[in-house]
Amino acid sequence: MSSFILTSCANTNQDLSKEAITEKGNRTKYNFNPDWKFIKENPEKAQDKNFDDSSWSTVSAPHTFNDIDTFDDLSLGGHKGEKNQWRGTVWYRKHFKLPAKEADKKVYIEFEGVRQIADVYINGHYLGKNQTGFIPFGYDISSYLKFGTEENVIAVKVNNDRKSDNFRDNDPLVWNHEHWHPTHGGIYRNVFLHTMDPLHVTLPLYDNLETVGTYVYADNITAKNADVTTNAEVLNEYETEKEVTYVTQIVDREGKVVATSSANKILKAKEKFTFSTTASVSNPNRWYTRNPYMYKVLTFLKEGNKIVDRYETPLGIRSFEFNKDSGFYNNGEHAKLHGWGQKPTNSWAGLGAALPDWLREYTFDLMDEAGGNFIRWGHCAGSPAEVAFGDKYGFVTLMPGVSGESQDEGEVWDIRIKAFKDMMVYYRNHPSIFIWEGGNWAETEAHYKEILDIIATVDPNGKRLMGNRRSDTKIESEKYVTIEVGTEGWEREFAGLPLIESEYMRDEAPRRIWDKYSPDDNFWNNPNLSKNTYDIGSEQFAVGQVHHWWTKMGKKPFHSGGANWVFSDGPHGGRNPTEVTRASGEVDGVRLPKEAFYAVKSMWRPEAQIHVIGHWNYKEGTKKDMYVISNCETVKLYVNGNLLGTNSKPVDGYVYKFSNVEWKSGEIKVEGYLNDKLVVSQTKKTIGDPVAIKLTPITGAKGWLADGSDIALLDFEVVDKNGNRCPLDADRVDFTISGPAIWRGGYNSGKANSSNNLYLDTEAGINRVAVRSLLKAGDVTITASRKGIKSATITLTSLPIDITDGLTTTLPQGYNDGVIAEEPVPVHIPKMPPYVPGIKNRSELFTNFSYTGDAKAMLRTTMNWGKKAYTDLDQNYTVIPGYLRFAEYIRTPNSDTKYWARDQLQFIAGADMEIYVLHDDRVKRPTFLLEDYKDIGDNVNVGTVTMSVFKRTAKKGESIIMAGNSDSGVPKDSRMYTVIGKKI
């Protein structure tokens, strides 16, 4: 790269072009997804151009070879992911021809992501290896290609194996484990072929190519003006020098040019040079989370009057502040951030991780409907489409590179830090990214310096913050991180830093289970229920969402907000052996909403909202508490028109409880009031007997495309005579299908081996299946039937796309065409307790204390008899050994007896100290206790429970980490461990 930058400033008064330039130059972007050959084997010489692959299967990207062996096994519990998936080496090969007109161009191939390891060949020539699994990469294939009538072959060897069942032993790719992400291998994201003039703006593919594309940023932002700088790395691959005119146009949402700039330079043969110009945008439409206005920057390279290259870059003009005392501000407007962590695999039952882009947007559309404005990708980078959807929907994004949950060294760190740079180069122009995540664990001082050096080099003008989740485990972290990426919202670790939450509310509950007053659906009576970490239904899960949000973030004025963990159920790290997923999402594994979805929507949407949790189809004589979630000040509840209660005192800001409501056939109605005015209402009715099946298709914005990988979704509901969904229906529906398509099916969350079948149960009256297109277009007819009710038939038509010689210019489609409407400011925010900066509950010994359990742990001083042992049990310490008296101690919540996570309780020793752990030996002793502590032979009674005393010595500054009580098989009525510290 050239070591100097040419700068030229311009504004709208310079009449370079009043209209947006429509010429595309010599650049073409081909969709390289369709029509690959695939084999689930590792044949020798499969990279050779003339290798015979005629017997291989035909597939299209996005593709995974694990779509048929996922969502089909009950979770193992203990935060272990789905292990029974095929792993090994496979091959993909794609035959294509390039028109003769492309012969003088540069040609690059771009992979948005291959899991896990990809070795790439072109016409038998080895191009290189990528082993990040989540970061886009590419190769220059120009010199190996044939043009015209001669065929070319791209071959990709893909491996998704790992070294060990123990994710700690999976070096160097520690993130390639089902503990973090299901091991869905394959070319699971888009592939593109770029052809361009030898004089061109480079691609932002730093891996292998070491090119950076454009860098666009806005500065001096006010309501009246913004200065927009465009840097563009330009490469002259000609053998002769070129006189280049560089032109930029800033184009608004309506297609109007609002600013232009230009520069001129003679580029020597083979020279790489970075142009830089700045233009002023008057009265800019700024990017807000509630109004994410997007511009685009068009960059052109001209030789004389001829445009030889055109490049497009997204632009969102926004300023922001994360304030340690008052939270997050977007262009000076305060906004509470609420949203989700989401796995970048985005697993979908029947599809695995291979999703067309419109399904990724479908998920964003749901998150937007639920009032989200924040996303944390965990713990690896989201896809290019998803980051762009973050721009479009106004989601502040916390963006990592690749990471597991460890402080890494050697080859692991080398791969991680390179991937971090590759990721930043690719994504740095996206306005939705506000924070770079250096890792999912604290780093050494040397590593922090490397991370900050890359940010300073790649994104020097982005003004973005950097944080590591669990940075509290390193005492030096505060010198380098600029935002605290919290771990559960209970405590603040760094008094001088702003705070954003990365993972809260890890409870799990399936969509199909309403409450204990409703029929069982293989849950309450499941023999594995006692092994569950969580044994709650949809109602308790929904109410819990409000409690966790309000107590951890919502009511804290200083707190910027945070990410609920996670948005969609998936086969990663589940803790409930009654389920085939980790059921911690607001939607299930096919994105059907749970009651929790409507609970968070009723808190987070800015408009007046109200939702009564549950249904209204109970048995005669049922009396139960009814919960209403609303962002109103007062809620009224009616049964069959009779007012049963008025509640103006919500719990946790949004929960209105009505006790002991007697069910009566008819309807339940709730009303929400603001300033004594009715602003919103909801009615739920008693639904009649099932009489018919109803089918509803869902496709992308442009329909169902016959590209070999597009998906059509089909919702099937069982309804009564009035067409209303039967909320308690949970029985089998059988399907038949004819026409050019592949049945992908769906899943039943509590049953093994339910995916990929031509039958499926409804859950709470509805379920969803998927159908994949082939390369052949046509009509596909599907019939859904069940004995005793009316069947339903629907015909879906897949639409042809133009694929010539393996290439198409039809790019992947989205779900919503157009822009997202501006949202209002919130109608009502519950009153928050006052915040006084600087007042904190801190300890001399347990410094940087954090606890990631589901309930709160508390720091206390002067341990003695009569002191309360737990935060949620009225049991005191009675007789205690003298050496424990007047120590500092931690009250843990006994409700977390069965909760397990590696990083559950952590602190840094504030002095040389003795650490004591009191443990109930009816529970299997956890690994941390066996490895780091010694049983000293003493016992302490807590009520009727005898606790063994364990001890270790810690030096000042030492990081202490304790996992949960146990990862499985916790006996009933056993106790959570407690922790005591005494200065030496």
Side-chain angles (χ1 to χ4, degrees), residues 133-184:
F134 295 93
I135 312 299
F137 63 98
Y139 302 98
D140 180 351
I141 59 175
S142 310
S143 59
Y144 305 111
L145 290 172
K146 306 296 182 181
F147 297 87
T149 59
E150 192 166 349
E151 189 174 71
N152 300 282
V153 177
I154 285 276
V156 186
K157 182 172 71 170
V158 178
N159 181 276
N160 74 327
D161 210 349
R162 50 173 174 68
K163 286 187 176 180
S164 168
D165 279 350
N166 186 335
F167 65 90
R168 299 297 169 204
D169 299 331
N170 201 42
D171 291 354
L173 309 181
V174 295
W175 52 92
N176 180 29
H177 194 282
E178 61 273 10
H179 184 90
W180 311 120
H181 313 280
T183 54
H184 297 162

Short mmCIF file of all heavy atoms in Angstrom, two decimals, residues 133-184:
data_model
loop_
_atom_site.label_atom_id
_atom_site.label_comp_id
_atom_site.label_asym_id
_atom_site.label_seq_id
_atom_site.Cartn_x
_atom_site.Cartn_y
_atom_site.Cartn_z
N GLY A 133 -13.93 -19.87 10.05
CA GLY A 133 -15.30 -20.35 10.09
C GLY A 133 -16.36 -19.28 10.01
O GLY A 133 -17.50 -19.56 9.65
N PHE A 134 -16.01 -18.02 10.33
CA PHE A 134 -17.02 -16.97 10.43
C PHE A 134 -16.63 -15.67 9.72
O PHE A 134 -17.46 -14.77 9.62
CB PHE A 134 -17.30 -16.64 11.90
CG PHE A 134 -17.94 -17.79 12.64
CD1 PHE A 134 -17.16 -18.70 13.34
CD2 PHE A 134 -19.31 -17.95 12.64
CE1 PHE A 134 -17.74 -19.77 14.01
CE2 PHE A 134 -19.90 -19.01 13.31
CZ PHE A 134 -19.12 -19.92 14.00
N ILE A 135 -15.41 -15.54 9.24
CA ILE A 135 -14.94 -14.29 8.66
C ILE A 135 -14.83 -14.44 7.14
O ILE A 135 -14.24 -15.42 6.66
CB ILE A 135 -13.58 -13.88 9.24
CG1 ILE A 135 -13.58 -13.98 10.77
CG2 ILE A 135 -13.19 -12.48 8.77
CD1 ILE A 135 -14.58 -13.08 11.46
N PRO A 136 -15.35 -13.48 6.36
CA PRO A 136 -15.22 -13.56 4.90
C PRO A 136 -13.76 -13.59 4.47
O PRO A 136 -12.89 -12.97 5.10
CB PRO A 136 -15.92 -12.28 4.42
CG PRO A 136 -16.90 -11.95 5.50
CD PRO A 136 -16.20 -12.34 6.78
N PHE A 137 -13.50 -14.29 3.37
CA PHE A 137 -12.15 -14.38 2.82
C PHE A 137 -12.24 -14.55 1.32
O PHE A 137 -13.31 -14.87 0.77
CB PHE A 137 -11.37 -15.54 3.46
CG PHE A 137 -11.96 -16.91 3.20
CD1 PHE A 137 -11.46 -17.73 2.19
CD2 PHE A 137 -13.01 -17.39 3.97
CE1 PHE A 137 -12.00 -18.99 1.96
CE2 PHE A 137 -13.56 -18.65 3.75
CZ PHE A 137 -13.06 -19.45 2.74
N GLY A 138 -11.12 -14.33 0.62
CA GLY A 138 -11.17 -14.44 -0.83
C GLY A 138 -9.80 -14.62 -1.45
O GLY A 138 -8.77 -14.55 -0.77
N TYR A 139 -9.83 -14.86 -2.77
CA TYR A 139 -8.59 -15.14 -3.51
C TYR A 139 -8.65 -14.47 -4.88
O TYR A 139 -9.73 -14.31 -5.48
CB TYR A 139 -8.40 -16.64 -3.70
CG TYR A 139 -8.36 -17.41 -2.41
CD1 TYR A 139 -9.50 -18.07 -1.95
CD2 TYR A 139 -7.20 -17.49 -1.65
CE1 TYR A 139 -9.48 -18.78 -0.76
CE2 TYR A 139 -7.16 -18.19 -0.47
CZ TYR A 139 -8.31 -18.84 -0.02
OH TYR A 139 -8.28 -19.54 1.15
N ASP A 140 -7.49 -14.10 -5.35
CA ASP A 140 -7.32 -13.63 -6.72
C ASP A 140 -7.12 -14.87 -7.60
O ASP A 140 -6.13 -15.57 -7.46
CB ASP A 140 -6.10 -12.71 -6.80
CG ASP A 140 -5.84 -12.17 -8.20
OD1 ASP A 140 -6.49 -12.63 -9.17
OD2 ASP A 140 -4.98 -11.28 -8.34
N ILE A 141 -8.06 -15.14 -8.49
CA ILE A 141 -7.97 -16.36 -9.32
C ILE A 141 -7.73 -16.01 -10.79
O ILE A 141 -7.80 -16.89 -11.65
CB ILE A 141 -9.24 -17.22 -9.18
CG1 ILE A 141 -10.50 -16.45 -9.60
CG2 ILE A 141 -9.39 -17.71 -7.74
CD1 ILE A 141 -11.76 -17.31 -9.59
N SER A 142 -7.41 -14.74 -11.05
CA SER A 142 -7.32 -14.26 -12.43
C SER A 142 -6.37 -15.09 -13.29
O SER A 142 -6.70 -15.45 -14.43
CB SER A 142 -6.86 -12.80 -12.45
OG SER A 142 -7.63 -12.02 -11.57
N SER A 143 -5.19 -15.38 -12.78
CA SER A 143 -4.15 -15.99 -13.62
C SER A 143 -4.37 -17.47 -13.87
O SER A 143 -3.64 -18.07 -14.67
CB SER A 143 -2.78 -15.78 -12.96
OG SER A 143 -2.75 -16.36 -11.67
N TYR A 144 -5.36 -18.07 -13.22
CA TYR A 144 -5.59 -19.50 -13.36
C TYR A 144 -6.82 -19.82 -14.22
O TYR A 144 -7.14 -20.99 -14.42
CB TYR A 144 -5.79 -20.15 -11.99
CG TYR A 144 -4.66 -19.88 -11.03
CD1 TYR A 144 -4.85 -19.07 -9.92
CD2 TYR A 144 -3.40 -20.44 -11.23
CE1 TYR A 144 -3.83 -18.82 -9.02
CE2 TYR A 144 -2.36 -20.19 -10.34
CZ TYR A 144 -2.59 -19.38 -9.24
OH TYR A 144 -1.55 -19.13 -8.36
N LEU A 145 -7.49 -18.79 -14.71
CA LEU A 145 -8.79 -19.00 -15.35
C LEU A 145 -8.68 -19.16 -16.85
O LEU A 145 -7.76 -18.66 -17.51
CB LEU A 145 -9.70 -17.81 -15.05
CG LEU A 145 -10.19 -17.67 -13.61
CD1 LEU A 145 -10.91 -16.34 -13.44
CD2 LEU A 145 -11.10 -18.83 -13.23
N LYS A 146 -9.67 -19.87 -17.41
CA LYS A 146 -9.90 -19.95 -18.84
C LYS A 146 -11.18 -19.18 -19.16
O LYS A 146 -12.09 -19.11 -18.34
CB LYS A 146 -10.05 -21.41 -19.27
CG LYS A 146 -8.88 -22.30 -18.85
CD LYS A 146 -7.58 -21.89 -19.52
CE LYS A 146 -6.44 -22.84 -19.13
NZ LYS A 146 -5.15 -22.44 -19.76
N PHE A 147 -11.25 -18.60 -20.35
CA PHE A 147 -12.39 -17.77 -20.72
C PHE A 147 -13.01 -18.29 -22.00
O PHE A 147 -12.38 -19.02 -22.77
CB PHE A 147 -11.96 -16.31 -20.87
CG PHE A 147 -11.46 -15.69 -19.59
CD1 PHE A 147 -10.12 -15.80 -19.22
CD2 PHE A 147 -12.32 -15.02 -18.75
CE1 PHE A 147 -9.66 -15.25 -18.05
CE2 PHE A 147 -11.87 -14.45 -17.56
CZ PHE A 147 -10.54 -14.58 -17.21
N GLY A 148 -14.25 -17.90 -22.22
CA GLY A 148 -14.95 -18.33 -23.42
C GLY A 148 -15.61 -19.67 -23.22
O GLY A 148 -16.38 -19.87 -22.28
N THR A 149 -15.29 -20.63 -24.08
CA THR A 149 -15.98 -21.93 -24.05
C THR A 149 -15.34 -22.92 -23.09
O THR A 149 -15.92 -23.98 -22.81
CB THR A 149 -15.99 -22.54 -25.46
OG1 THR A 149 -14.63 -22.70 -25.91
CG2 THR A 149 -16.76 -21.64 -26.43
N GLU A 150 -14.15 -22.61 -22.58
CA GLU A 150 -13.47 -23.59 -21.73
C GLU A 150 -13.94 -23.48 -20.28
O GLU A 150 -14.14 -22.40 -19.75
CB GLU A 150 -11.95 -23.38 -21.79
CG GLU A 150 -11.19 -24.55 -21.17
CD GLU A 150 -9.71 -24.53 -21.52
OE1 GLU A 150 -9.32 -23.75 -22.41
OE2 GLU A 150 -8.95 -25.29 -20.89
N GLU A 151 -14.08 -24.64 -19.65
CA GLU A 151 -14.66 -24.71 -18.30
C GLU A 151 -13.59 -24.52 -17.23
O GLU A 151 -12.41 -24.85 -17.42
CB GLU A 151 -15.31 -26.09 -18.12
CG GLU A 151 -16.13 -26.24 -16.87
CD GLU A 151 -16.86 -27.58 -16.84
OE1 GLU A 151 -16.19 -28.61 -16.66
OE2 GLU A 151 -18.09 -27.58 -17.01
N ASN A 152 -14.01 -23.95 -16.13
CA ASN A 152 -13.19 -23.82 -14.93
C ASN A 152 -13.84 -24.60 -13.80
O ASN A 152 -15.06 -24.81 -13.78
CB ASN A 152 -13.07 -22.36 -14.52
CG ASN A 152 -12.44 -21.50 -15.59
OD1 ASN A 152 -11.23 -21.49 -15.78
ND2 ASN A 152 -13.28 -20.76 -16.33
N VAL A 153 -13.00 -25.00 -12.83
CA VAL A 153 -13.53 -25.74 -11.67
C VAL A 153 -12.91 -25.18 -10.40
O VAL A 153 -11.68 -25.14 -10.26
CB VAL A 153 -13.22 -27.25 -11.76
CG1 VAL A 153 -13.72 -27.96 -10.49
CG2 VAL A 153 -13.86 -27.86 -12.99
N ILE A 154 -13.79 -24.70 -9.51
CA ILE A 154 -13.38 -24.36 -8.14
C ILE A 154 -13.64 -25.58 -7.27
O ILE A 154 -14.74 -26.16 -7.31
CB ILE A 154 -14.20 -23.16 -7.60
CG1 ILE A 154 -13.75 -21.86 -8.23
CG2 ILE A 154 -14.12 -23.08 -6.08
CD1 ILE A 154 -12.55 -21.21 -7.57
N ALA A 155 -12.66 -26.00 -6.51
CA ALA A 155 -12.82 -27.13 -5.59
C ALA A 155 -12.53 -26.66 -4.18
O ALA A 155 -11.55 -25.93 -3.95
CB ALA A 155 -11.90 -28.27 -5.98
N VAL A 156 -13.37 -27.05 -3.24
CA VAL A 156 -13.20 -26.64 -1.85
C VAL A 156 -13.29 -27.88 -0.96
O VAL A 156 -14.32 -28.57 -0.94
CB VAL A 156 -14.27 -25.61 -1.42
CG1 VAL A 156 -13.96 -25.11 0.00
CG2 VAL A 156 -14.35 -24.46 -2.39
N LYS A 157 -12.21 -28.13 -0.25
CA LYS A 157 -12.22 -29.20 0.76
C LYS A 157 -12.60 -28.58 2.10
O LYS A 157 -11.99 -27.60 2.52
CB LYS A 157 -10.83 -29.86 0.87
CG LYS A 157 -10.79 -31.01 1.87
CD LYS A 157 -9.47 -31.78 1.83
CE LYS A 157 -8.33 -30.97 2.38
NZ LYS A 157 -7.09 -31.79 2.55
N VAL A 158 -13.60 -29.13 2.73
CA VAL A 158 -14.15 -28.56 3.95
C VAL A 158 -14.09 -29.59 5.07
O VAL A 158 -14.45 -30.75 4.87
CB VAL A 158 -15.61 -28.09 3.75
CG1 VAL A 158 -16.18 -27.53 5.05
CG2 VAL A 158 -15.69 -27.06 2.64
N ASN A 159 -13.64 -29.14 6.23
CA ASN A 159 -13.59 -30.02 7.39
C ASN A 159 -14.26 -29.35 8.57
O ASN A 159 -14.00 -28.18 8.86
CB ASN A 159 -12.13 -30.35 7.74
CG ASN A 159 -12.01 -31.28 8.93
OD1 ASN A 159 -12.03 -30.84 10.07
ND2 ASN A 159 -11.90 -32.57 8.67
N ASN A 160 -15.13 -30.08 9.27
CA ASN A 160 -15.80 -29.52 10.46
C ASN A 160 -15.50 -30.35 11.71
O ASN A 160 -16.26 -30.33 12.67
CB ASN A 160 -17.31 -29.45 10.24
CG ASN A 160 -17.99 -30.81 10.29
OD1 ASN A 160 -17.40 -31.81 9.89
ND2 ASN A 160 -19.23 -30.85 10.77
N ASP A 161 -14.40 -31.09 11.68
CA ASP A 161 -14.05 -31.93 12.83
C ASP A 161 -13.43 -31.08 13.93
O ASP A 161 -13.18 -29.90 13.78
CB ASP A 161 -13.09 -33.02 12.39
CG ASP A 161 -13.22 -34.29 13.21
OD1 ASP A 161 -13.92 -34.25 14.25
OD2 ASP A 161 -12.64 -35.32 12.83
N ARG A 162 -13.16 -31.73 15.04
CA ARG A 162 -12.49 -31.07 16.15
C ARG A 162 -11.66 -32.11 16.87
O ARG A 162 -11.81 -33.31 16.67
CB ARG A 162 -13.52 -30.43 17.09
CG ARG A 162 -14.64 -31.36 17.51
CD ARG A 162 -15.51 -30.72 18.56
NE ARG A 162 -16.68 -31.49 18.90
CZ ARG A 162 -16.69 -32.66 19.52
NH1 ARG A 162 -15.56 -33.22 19.87
NH2 ARG A 162 -17.81 -33.29 19.80
N LYS A 163 -10.78 -31.64 17.73
CA LYS A 163 -9.82 -32.55 18.35
C LYS A 163 -10.41 -33.38 19.47
O LYS A 163 -9.99 -34.51 19.70
CB LYS A 163 -8.62 -31.75 18.88
CG LYS A 163 -7.68 -31.25 17.80
CD LYS A 163 -6.45 -30.61 18.43
CE LYS A 163 -5.44 -30.18 17.39
NZ LYS A 163 -4.24 -29.57 18.00
N SER A 164 -11.35 -32.80 20.22
CA SER A 164 -11.73 -33.42 21.47
C SER A 164 -13.16 -33.08 21.83
O SER A 164 -13.67 -32.03 21.46
CB SER A 164 -10.79 -32.95 22.59
OG SER A 164 -11.27 -33.30 23.87
N ASP A 165 -13.81 -33.98 22.57
CA ASP A 165 -15.12 -33.68 23.12
C ASP A 165 -15.04 -32.56 24.15
O ASP A 165 -16.01 -31.85 24.39
CB ASP A 165 -15.74 -34.92 23.78
CG ASP A 165 -16.37 -35.84 22.76
OD1 ASP A 165 -16.50 -35.44 21.59
OD2 ASP A 165 -16.74 -36.97 23.12
N ASN A 166 -13.88 -32.41 24.78
CA ASN A 166 -13.68 -31.36 25.76
C ASN A 166 -13.31 -30.07 25.02
O ASN A 166 -12.26 -29.98 24.39
CB ASN A 166 -12.56 -31.74 26.74
CG ASN A 166 -12.41 -30.74 27.87
OD1 ASN A 166 -12.77 -29.58 27.74
ND2 ASN A 166 -11.87 -31.19 28.98
N PHE A 167 -14.19 -29.07 25.10
CA PHE A 167 -13.94 -27.86 24.33
C PHE A 167 -12.68 -27.15 24.77
O PHE A 167 -12.13 -26.35 24.03
CB PHE A 167 -15.15 -26.91 24.40
CG PHE A 167 -15.45 -26.35 25.77
CD1 PHE A 167 -14.88 -25.17 26.18
CD2 PHE A 167 -16.32 -27.01 26.63
CE1 PHE A 167 -15.16 -24.64 27.42
CE2 PHE A 167 -16.61 -26.49 27.88
CZ PHE A 167 -16.02 -25.30 28.28
N ARG A 168 -12.19 -27.42 25.98
CA ARG A 168 -10.95 -26.80 26.43
C ARG A 168 -9.74 -27.38 25.72
O ARG A 168 -8.66 -26.78 25.72
CB ARG A 168 -10.78 -26.99 27.95
CG ARG A 168 -11.90 -26.36 28.77
CD ARG A 168 -11.93 -24.86 28.61
NE ARG A 168 -13.14 -24.30 29.18
CZ ARG A 168 -13.68 -23.15 28.83
NH1 ARG A 168 -13.11 -22.43 27.88
NH2 ARG A 168 -14.78 -22.71 29.38
N ASP A 169 -9.88 -28.57 25.13
CA ASP A 169 -8.76 -29.23 24.48
C ASP A 169 -8.84 -29.13 22.96
O ASP A 169 -8.24 -29.93 22.25
CB ASP A 169 -8.73 -30.72 24.88
CG ASP A 169 -8.55 -30.92 26.37
OD1 ASP A 169 -7.93 -30.04 27.01
OD2 ASP A 169 -9.04 -31.93 26.90
N ASN A 170 -9.57 -28.17 22.46
CA ASN A 170 -9.85 -28.11 21.03
C ASN A 170 -8.95 -27.14 20.29
O ASN A 170 -9.33 -26.57 19.29
CB ASN A 170 -11.32 -27.74 20.79
CG ASN A 170 -11.78 -28.15 19.42
OD1 ASN A 170 -11.46 -29.23 18.96
ND2 ASN A 170 -12.53 -27.28 18.77
N ASP A 171 -7.74 -26.92 20.79
CA ASP A 171 -6.80 -26.04 20.11
C ASP A 171 -6.51 -26.58 18.70
O ASP A 171 -6.45 -27.79 18.51
CB ASP A 171 -5.48 -25.97 20.89
CG ASP A 171 -5.64 -25.24 22.21
OD1 ASP A 171 -6.73 -24.69 22.44
OD2 ASP A 171 -4.69 -25.23 23.01
N PRO A 172 -6.26 -25.69 17.73
CA PRO A 172 -6.23 -24.24 17.90
C PRO A 172 -7.58 -23.56 17.72
O PRO A 172 -7.73 -22.39 18.01
CB PRO A 172 -5.28 -23.80 16.80
CG PRO A 172 -5.53 -24.77 15.69
CD PRO A 172 -5.80 -26.08 16.38
N LEU A 173 -8.58 -24.28 17.20
CA LEU A 173 -9.86 -23.64 16.87
C LEU A 173 -10.84 -23.84 18.02
O LEU A 173 -11.81 -24.59 17.93
CB LEU A 173 -10.41 -24.21 15.57
CG LEU A 173 -9.43 -24.21 14.39
CD1 LEU A 173 -10.08 -24.77 13.14
CD2 LEU A 173 -8.88 -22.82 14.12
N VAL A 174 -10.60 -23.14 19.11
CA VAL A 174 -11.36 -23.38 20.34
C VAL A 174 -12.84 -23.04 20.17
O VAL A 174 -13.68 -23.53 20.92
CB VAL A 174 -10.77 -22.58 21.52
CG1 VAL A 174 -9.39 -23.07 21.85
CG2 VAL A 174 -10.74 -21.08 21.21
N TRP A 175 -13.18 -22.19 19.21
CA TRP A 175 -14.57 -21.80 18.99
C TRP A 175 -15.31 -22.82 18.13
O TRP A 175 -16.52 -22.72 17.95
CB TRP A 175 -14.64 -20.42 18.34
CG TRP A 175 -13.81 -20.31 17.11
CD1 TRP A 175 -14.20 -20.54 15.81
CD2 TRP A 175 -12.42 -19.96 17.04
NE1 TRP A 175 -13.16 -20.36 14.95
CE2 TRP A 175 -12.05 -20.00 15.68
CE3 TRP A 175 -11.46 -19.62 17.99
CZ2 TRP A 175 -10.75 -19.71 15.25
CZ3 TRP A 175 -10.17 -19.33 17.57
CH2 TRP A 175 -9.83 -19.37 16.22
N ASN A 176 -14.59 -23.80 17.56
CA ASN A 176 -15.21 -24.80 16.70
C ASN A 176 -15.66 -25.98 17.55
O ASN A 176 -15.09 -27.07 17.50
CB ASN A 176 -14.22 -25.27 15.62
CG ASN A 176 -14.84 -26.31 14.71
OD1 ASN A 176 -16.04 -26.34 14.50
ND2 ASN A 176 -14.02 -27.19 14.18
N HIS A 177 -16.68 -25.76 18.34
CA HIS A 177 -17.16 -26.80 19.25
C HIS A 177 -18.62 -26.53 19.54
O HIS A 177 -19.04 -25.37 19.66
CB HIS A 177 -16.34 -26.80 20.55
CG HIS A 177 -16.54 -28.01 21.39
ND1 HIS A 177 -17.65 -28.18 22.18
CD2 HIS A 177 -15.79 -29.12 21.56
CE1 HIS A 177 -17.57 -29.34 22.81
NE2 HIS A 177 -16.44 -29.93 22.45
N GLU A 178 -19.41 -27.60 19.67
CA GLU A 178 -20.85 -27.43 19.89
C GLU A 178 -21.17 -26.78 21.23
O GLU A 178 -22.30 -26.36 21.46
CB GLU A 178 -21.56 -28.78 19.77
CG GLU A 178 -21.13 -29.84 20.75
CD GLU A 178 -19.94 -30.66 20.26
OE1 GLU A 178 -19.33 -30.28 19.23
OE2 GLU A 178 -19.62 -31.66 20.89
N HIS A 179 -20.19 -26.69 22.13
CA HIS A 179 -20.38 -25.91 23.35
C HIS A 179 -20.72 -24.46 23.00
O HIS A 179 -21.51 -23.81 23.69
CB HIS A 179 -19.10 -25.98 24.18
CG HIS A 179 -19.19 -25.31 25.52
ND1 HIS A 179 -19.59 -25.96 26.64
CD2 HIS A 179 -18.91 -24.04 25.90
CE1 HIS A 179 -19.57 -25.12 27.67
NE2 HIS A 179 -19.16 -23.96 27.24
N TRP A 180 -20.12 -23.95 21.92
CA TRP A 180 -20.36 -22.58 21.47
C TRP A 180 -21.31 -22.53 20.29
O TRP A 180 -22.22 -21.70 20.24
CB TRP A 180 -19.04 -21.91 21.07
CG TRP A 180 -17.97 -22.07 22.08
CD1 TRP A 180 -16.75 -22.68 21.90
CD2 TRP A 180 -17.98 -21.63 23.44
NE1 TRP A 180 -16.03 -22.64 23.07
CE2 TRP A 180 -16.75 -22.00 24.03
CE3 TRP A 180 -18.91 -20.96 24.21
CZ2 TRP A 180 -16.44 -21.73 25.34
CZ3 TRP A 180 -18.61 -20.69 25.55
CH2 TRP A 180 -17.38 -21.07 26.08
N HIS A 181 -21.04 -23.35 19.29
CA HIS A 181 -21.84 -23.35 18.06
C HIS A 181 -22.02 -24.78 17.61
O HIS A 181 -21.07 -25.56 17.62
CB HIS A 181 -21.12 -22.58 16.93
CG HIS A 181 -20.56 -21.27 17.35
ND1 HIS A 181 -21.34 -20.14 17.44
CD2 HIS A 181 -19.31 -20.90 17.71
CE1 HIS A 181 -20.58 -19.13 17.84
NE2 HIS A 181 -19.35 -19.56 18.02
N PRO A 182 -23.22 -25.16 17.18
CA PRO A 182 -23.36 -26.49 16.61
C PRO A 182 -22.40 -26.64 15.44
O PRO A 182 -22.16 -25.69 14.69
CB PRO A 182 -24.83 -26.53 16.16
CG PRO A 182 -25.25 -25.10 16.08
CD PRO A 182 -24.45 -24.37 17.11
N THR A 183 -21.83 -27.83 15.29
CA THR A 183 -20.76 -28.01 14.31
C THR A 183 -21.31 -28.23 12.90
O THR A 183 -20.99 -29.20 12.23
CB THR A 183 -19.85 -29.19 14.71
OG1 THR A 183 -20.67 -30.35 14.91
CG2 THR A 183 -19.12 -28.89 15.99
N HIS A 184 -22.14 -27.29 12.44
CA HIS A 184 -22.73 -27.39 11.11
C HIS A 184 -21.68 -27.02 10.08
O HIS A 184 -21.38 -25.84 9.89
CB HIS A 184 -23.94 -26.46 11.00
CG HIS A 184 -25.05 -26.81 11.94
ND1 HIS A 184 -26.07 -25.94 12.26
CD2 HIS A 184 -25.31 -27.94 12.63
CE1 HIS A 184 -26.90 -26.52 13.11
NE2 HIS A 184 -26.46 -27.73 13.36
#
